[in-house]
Amino acid sequence: MTKKVFYMLWIPFLLAVSGCFEGTESEPILLPERISAFALYPNDVAANDSASSYVANGLQLLVHPEVTYSLSFDKDPAIAENPTLQLFRLGSKVDGGKVMTKHVRTLRPHEENGRLVYKFLCEENDRNVWVTTLSLNGEYYRGTTRHARLEASGPYSDTLSINLIVTGRVDFYESDMDEKLFAKMLLKNFRKYYTSIVIDTLYVRYAHEHPTLGGKYPADVPWIAGRSSGDYFVSELGGWPEAGLKNALDIVLVHRIEMEWVLGYSLMYSGNLYGGPGSTVVIGAYNKTPSGESGLPSASMISTAIHETGHFFGLRHTTATQADFEVDSDFSNYEDGFTDTPYCADLLKSGLLKRNIGPASDFVLPLAHITYATSDNEFNVDQCPDSRNMMFPAVNDEGMDGFTAQQLAHVRKNLMVFPH
Ligand SMILES: [Zn+2]
């Protein structure tokens, strides 16, 4: 039997842009000289060596409203004095590839187990990107800033509802399957695997019944994400408007996706449960192949939805793929950083996951994860110790064990960081 293998790719939206002056404070403000391409994400425990090296000048932090953060790194033993952390909010872009920044915090650290820890509360109204500098005696800090982490603790609930948004005409590969039965199986499996959070209700929505956009999504025409409209994420359907239900996870079910072997995608660390860009997880009932298209077993569709939702809440692949490296550029993040998920060194060496199937060139959304299926069989994934983890990047049809305790704790922590 040929195994289906999923591939995923993520694309950073955090652009490398230059800092631009704004802000007048009595204390000297050290603006980021250049905003690095590297970011820290809430509660991420991957090594992040590259991100860590930019704390003093231009590291990006993804922040959410009313969430308490603790940015920390190893204190440089060679430097007795501790630097001050300055935080800047990214504003609008201006000419010359520059972006406005606004100074929002100046913080002094406390020391804890050989680390410098800076705590702050984000009082933004929306998710945002803040950028760091470290100053010591009015200059950029020159010490080392290894093993940087952004711990986050949010006030939001650990309960999640789901909208399954059936978009256009969806025929299932299995003749006895329909969207109602699929929804039932999806809910059952979300509850089976996401045991650290409460999966409240799963609603089946129909795009053609959307109160304002319904006319754009005829019920009898198969929707092909990326072809029927230019937006692969169909993000205008996110934030489904329904009295009494807001801020659910919106899973858009389409006929298929206009990229070969792509089964689904989401935005890593999207954290957007309220609509707009990044608010959707997209899955297809079929996938595009070089010779046409092929139907997917519902079990694969469900695994895809669960895997992509894991990325949505900030789970990395247990073993990174070459495609991950091409967009993350940080080779220290070859595994997810959890101590209870093994990684597969042989997979990294195998070359199996080296293929980078680029999406359309206008595909520029944040940290996108894309799932590929292929019959490529040059590497037997069963030899990997993490091959049955839900976040393993090559998933076979024969079943998954699910998530580990640390992965589940991570999902719960981040659900409570993402406003809903
Ligand atoms: Zn993935």
Side-chain angles (χ1 to χ4, degrees):
M1 175 187 167
T2 302
K3 281 178 184 153
K4 285 253 168 22
V5 180
F6 301 156
Y7 289 87
M8 299 83 186
L9 170 67
W10 51 322
I11 297 169
F13 84 123
L14 303 170
L15 301 171
V17 282
S18 301
C20 189
F21 177 79
E22 188 186 294
T24 51
E25 303 281 333
S26 54
E27 184 170 353
I29 299 295
L30 283 184
L31 287 165
E33 290 175 307
R34 180 183 173 281
I35 296 169
S36 85
F38 296 102
L40 282 184
Y41 296 94
N43 299 312
D44 188 13
V45 292
N48 283 306
D49 285 356
S50 299
S52 297
S53 67
Y54 283 95
V55 182
N57 197 343
L59 173 66
Q60 303 188 50
L61 309 176
L62 180 64
V63 294
H64 293 84
E66 306 307 323
V67 173
T68 303
Y69 292 93
S70 161
L71 176 66
S72 63
F73 51 84
D74 293 346
K75 179 180 164 71
D76 186 338
I79 299 182
E81 286 180 281
N82 292 333
T84 299
L85 174 70
Q86 297 186 0
L87 294 170
F88 302 85
R89 178 197 302 130
L90 282 191
S92 53
K93 286 178 193 165
V94 293
D95 290 345
K98 296 191 172 187
V99 64
M100 299 297 289
T101 58
K102 181 172 171 53
H103 175 245
V104 288
R105 293 281 190 292
T106 294
L107 300 163
R108 298 194 183 286
H110 70 270
E111 287 188 42
E112 208 175 290
N113 302 321
R115 287 171 71 78
L116 299 184
V117 182
Y118 302 80
K119 284 197 171 173
F120 58 95
L121 172 68
C122 172
E123 288 157 327
E124 299 280 3
N125 295 318
D126 199 353
R127 68 176 173 157
N128 223 308
V129 175
W130 286 5
V131 183
T132 63
T133 60
L134 291 173
S135 72
L136 186 59
N137 303 322
E139 295 184 352
Y140 293 103
Y141 181 62
R142 304 286 176 207
T144 56
T145 53
R146 294 196 178 104
H147 302 127
R149 294 268 183 280
L150 182 66
E151 282 168 53
S153 170
Y156 307 103
S157 87
D158 65 354
T159 296
L160 182 69
S161 288
I162 297 170
N163 287 316
L164 177 67
I165 304 172
V166 181
T167 304
R169 177 176 151 183
V170 175
D171 295 319
F172 289 85
Y173 172 63
E174 293 128 339
S175 56
D176 56 349
M177 182 61 61
D178 62 23
E179 66 269 13
K180 292 264 165 54
L181 180 57
F182 180 75
K184 206 174 150 185
M185 289 170 55
L186 191 63
L187 176 60
K188 188 178 158 198
N189 280 280
F190 261 76
R191 286 178 173 158
K192 175 181 172 186
Y193 290 108
Y194 284 108
T195 52
S196 59
I197 61 176
V198 180
I199 305 293
D200 188 359
T201 309
L202 190 149
Y203 301 88
V204 180
R205 314 289 187 186
Y206 293 92
H208 68 270
E209 292 175 358
H210 190 285
T212 57
L213 302 166
K216 292 171 70 175
Y217 297 90
D220 55 347
V221 179
W223 190 269
I224 300 177
R227 193 171 88 184
S228 300
S229 79
D231 179 9
Y232 276 91
F233 285 86
V234 208
S235 38
E236 65 181 7
L237 293 178
W240 189 268
E242 179 79 11
L245 178 78
K246 274 189 170 176
N247 303 340
L249 174 65
D250 294 311
I251 299 178
V252 174
L253 170 59
V254 297
H255 172 68
R256 71 165 166 83
I257 290 154
E258 186 62 354
M259 281 182 275
E260 281 180 15
W261 308 118
V262 174
L263 307 188
Y265 38 71
S266 68
L267 305 183
M268 174 107 159
Y269 278 109
S270 164
N272 180 350
L273 291 165
Y274 43 84
S279 63
T280 55
V281 169
V282 181
I283 59 171
Y286 279 67
N287 67 258
K288 185 178 180 176
T289 66
S291 57
E293 60 180 31
S294 61
L296 294 161
S298 48
S300 293
M301 295 168 64
I302 288 167
S303 290
T304 302
I306 292 172
H307 176 102
E308 296 303 334
T309 299
H311 288 315
F312 187 94
F313 287 111
L315 293 181
R316 291 174 178 270
H317 291 146
T318 49
T319 303
T321 66
Q322 192 64 31
D324 289 343
F325 289 138
E326 281 172 18
V327 292
D328 188 4
S329 310
D330 188 335
F331 288 89
S332 72
N333 293 339
Y334 58 87
E335 53 100 16
D336 57 15
F338 295 123
T339 54
D340 64 356
T341 59
Y343 80 99
C344 187
D346 290 342
L347 179 70
L348 287 171
K349 284 183 246 158
S350 73
L352 175 64
L353 300 180
K354 277 189 178 163
R355 183 170 56 148
N356 182 10
I357 305 173
S361 59
D362 60 345
F363 197 88
V364 290
L365 282 159
L367 299 175
H369 266 82
I370 304 166
T371 303
Y372 298 100
T374 176
S375 56
D376 194 341
N377 216 9
E378 62 192 70
F379 181 81
N380 180 6
V381 298
D382 292 340
Q383 70 195 68
C384 287
D386 50 341
S387 70
R388 293 178 69 89
N389 186 283
M390 197 58 87
M391 298 314 292
F392 186 68
V395 181
N396 68 56
D397 286 343
E398 292 166 8
M400 307 297 289
D401 292 340
F403 300 110
T404 64
Q406 288 176 27
Q407 287 174 317
L408 286 169
H410 183 85
V411 167
R412 181 172 186 275
K413 247 190 269 178
N414 278 347
L415 173 58
M416 295 174 74
V417 161
F418 300 152
H420 67 287

